[in-house]
Amino acid sequence: MNLIKPGSTIGIIGGGQLGKMLILAAASLGYNTIVYCDQKDSPAFSVANSFILAEYDDLSALKEFADQCDVITFEFENIPHDSLAFLEENSLVRPSKNSLFISQNRNREKEFMQKLSLPTTLFKKIIDKQDLLQGIETLGFPCILKTAELGYDGKGQISISEEKDVNEALERLSGQEYILEKKIDFEKEISIIAARDDQDNFKAFSPFENTHKQGILQKTKSPADISQALQNQAVQMTKTIMQELKHIGVLTVEFFVKEGKLLINEIAPRVHNSGHLTIDACFVSQFEQHIRAICSLNLIDPVLHTKAEMHNLIGEDVHDLTNLIMSPTIKVHLYGKKIVKQGRKMGHVTKLLFP
């Protein structure tokens, strides 16, 4: 066990709202924080003890950052693998670069699941036009073309439902790697968020049921409306993934539910938007649990003490808060982003569903 005691400094790569909420959880446990981010006016800067504004491949700035940290973690995946490897040579990084490496590439992630004999959607790796045409022939309509790396909240994706969509998809190919996935007519989407520490202790939150619109998470409720047997299966799959990765910290697995069976959609090696309601509805939030895991503190049993529903405040939603703020059963969380944009997550609200 490598105990990182309160009073130590936690480094966080990325300055978005997830980083901000991690910092608030760390501060409540007595930790100092430093944020490394390449975007000025990042939400996390307002609550961190200090920050470094620099590019993610700036080795000099990364060394300065590492020298100030007792442990380093990250709040998003779009970090150069070589940069995280460099940080591992100069500090303690949790989770490790291996978790990031697998999750950064959708083909690599699917192949990892296949190696573990875990169920996923059907897919094909796409490099060129011939791959795409063969992939469409193999998978059939409808399917969806995604960039293998980068892209989130529906970005970098093309739906291919009929022949007329094929030409648009072919024109979109630009020499990078893609993944073609069979589109699933699923009944619901759920996520499992769990934490693992360096002693292989494991704790999973109650399952979350998620609703997306145009590729962006709109609403999450917990507990999810699934059977106990299905919940147990989802939790066990998540545990298998975390143990294989030797993942330390919080990790999220998104699933499709179809005809009473689970298909893994994707993983996120970090805290997750679907877990925001844990701040108000659980005995420990996903953010505190992550801090506990990376610092080798004891993990808390993440009991859901109140059924809850989380709604993202997207774009102009943030301007209509008067009634929400007045309600004692609605908890408002604003991220402090200065510019409102269409499709941008500006905050969230959690509705506590008392009997």
Side-chain angles (χ1 to χ4, degrees), residues 103-115:
S103 64
Q104 278 182 326
N105 182 290
R106 293 182 173 93
N107 287 306
R108 197 182 298 139
E109 185 176 279
K110 288 284 197 293
E111 291 162 358
F112 174 76
M113 299 305 165
Q114 286 183 331
K115 173 188 169 186

Side-chain angles (χ1 to χ4, degrees), residues 63-311:
K63 182 64 167 63
E64 178 188 352
F65 174 67
D67 288 346
Q68 298 179 61
C69 299
D70 295 292
V71 62
I72 294 170
T73 192
F74 48 85
E75 62 119 38
F76 78 131
E77 290 95 314
N78 296 339
I79 307 162
H81 182 262
D82 290 347
S83 297
L84 204 64
F86 176 81
L87 288 172
E88 281 196 346
E89 294 172 0
N90 290 276
S91 188
L92 177 65
V93 178
R94 290 177 166 176
S96 73
K97 65 179 185 295
N98 187 45
S99 292
L100 188 70
F101 179 73
I102 294 296
S103 64
Q104 278 182 326
N105 182 290
R106 293 182 173 93
N107 287 306
R108 197 182 298 139
E109 185 176 279
K110 288 284 197 293
E111 291 162 358
F112 174 76
M113 299 305 165
Q114 286 183 331
K115 173 188 169 186
L116 297 179
S117 300
L118 296 176
T120 70
T121 54
L122 297 175
F123 74 100
K124 292 290 182 181
K125 183 177 179 179
I126 306 298
I127 300 295
D128 55 30
K129 293 183 178 182
Q130 188 63 35
D131 289 337
L132 179 57
L133 292 171
Q134 291 177 350
I136 293 171
E137 183 177 352
T138 300
L139 299 182
F141 298 126
C143 52
I144 186 165
L145 182 70
K146 304 176 182 178
T147 53
E149 298 184 2
L150 306 178
Y152 62 95
D153 288 344
K155 297 178 177 67
Q157 301 184 8
I158 307 170
S159 290
I160 306 173
S161 300
E162 51 188 334
E163 286 292 343
K164 71 179 182 64
D165 299 325
V166 175
N167 285 336
E168 181 188 351
L170 288 169
E171 290 172 3
R172 195 75 72 89
L173 296 181
S174 59
Q176 60 181 309
E177 181 184 338
Y178 295 83
I179 184 171
L180 185 71
E181 295 180 320
K182 180 68 176 176
K183 241 184 180 177
I184 299 298
D185 185 19
F186 54 86
E187 290 133 32
K188 61 186 63 180
E189 295 178 74
I190 67 166
S191 53
I192 296 294
I193 298 176
R196 179 181 177 272
D197 66 15
D198 60 350
Q199 300 299 303
D200 199 31
N201 295 306
F202 173 89
K203 298 284 186 182
F205 288 87
S206 294
F208 304 91
E209 186 171 333
N210 306 315
T211 302
H212 289 79
K213 184 178 180 182
Q214 297 178 336
I216 301 175
L217 182 66
Q218 299 285 315
K219 180 179 75 173
T220 294
K221 72 174 185 178
S222 188
D225 185 19
I226 58 173
S227 68
Q228 186 63 51
L230 211 59
Q231 176 179 335
N232 292 345
Q233 290 175 33
V235 169
Q236 184 55 54
M237 289 184 198
T238 302
K239 186 175 184 179
T240 297
I241 291 167
M242 296 183 79
Q243 288 179 326
E244 183 68 19
L245 291 172
K246 296 181 173 58
H247 186 93
I248 298 175
V250 161
L251 178 140
T252 306
V253 184
E254 297 180 17
F255 298 87
F256 295 130
V257 180
K258 181 176 173 63
E259 298 174 352
K261 296 182 179 179
L262 294 169
L263 292 170
I264 295 174
N265 178 28
E266 62 184 18
I267 65 174
R270 53 169 172 77
V271 291
H272 194 260
N273 193 173
S274 64
H276 289 355
L277 63 81
T278 62
I279 297 171
D280 301 299
C282 295
F283 286 125
V284 63
S285 74
Q286 62 168 340
F287 302 101
E288 180 182 337
Q289 195 80 305
H290 182 75
I291 298 299
R292 286 179 169 276
I294 66 171
C295 292
S296 297
L297 301 179
N298 63 304
L299 300 181
I300 303 296
D301 196 9
V303 173
L304 182 76
H305 58 68
T306 308
K307 292 181 180 180
E309 195 172 272
M310 186 279 300
H311 294 254

Side-chain angles (χ1 to χ4, degrees), residues 7-42:
S8 302
T9 297
I10 299 172
I12 298 175
I13 306 173
Q17 63 265 22
L18 298 180
K20 182 175 184 177
M21 289 182 274
L22 282 169
I23 290 166
L24 294 174
S28 71
L29 293 172
Y31 291 96
N32 300 308
T33 51
I34 177 171
V35 171
Y36 188 107
C37 186
D38 66 348
Q39 299 290 318
K40 65 179 182 179
D41 297 326
S42 295

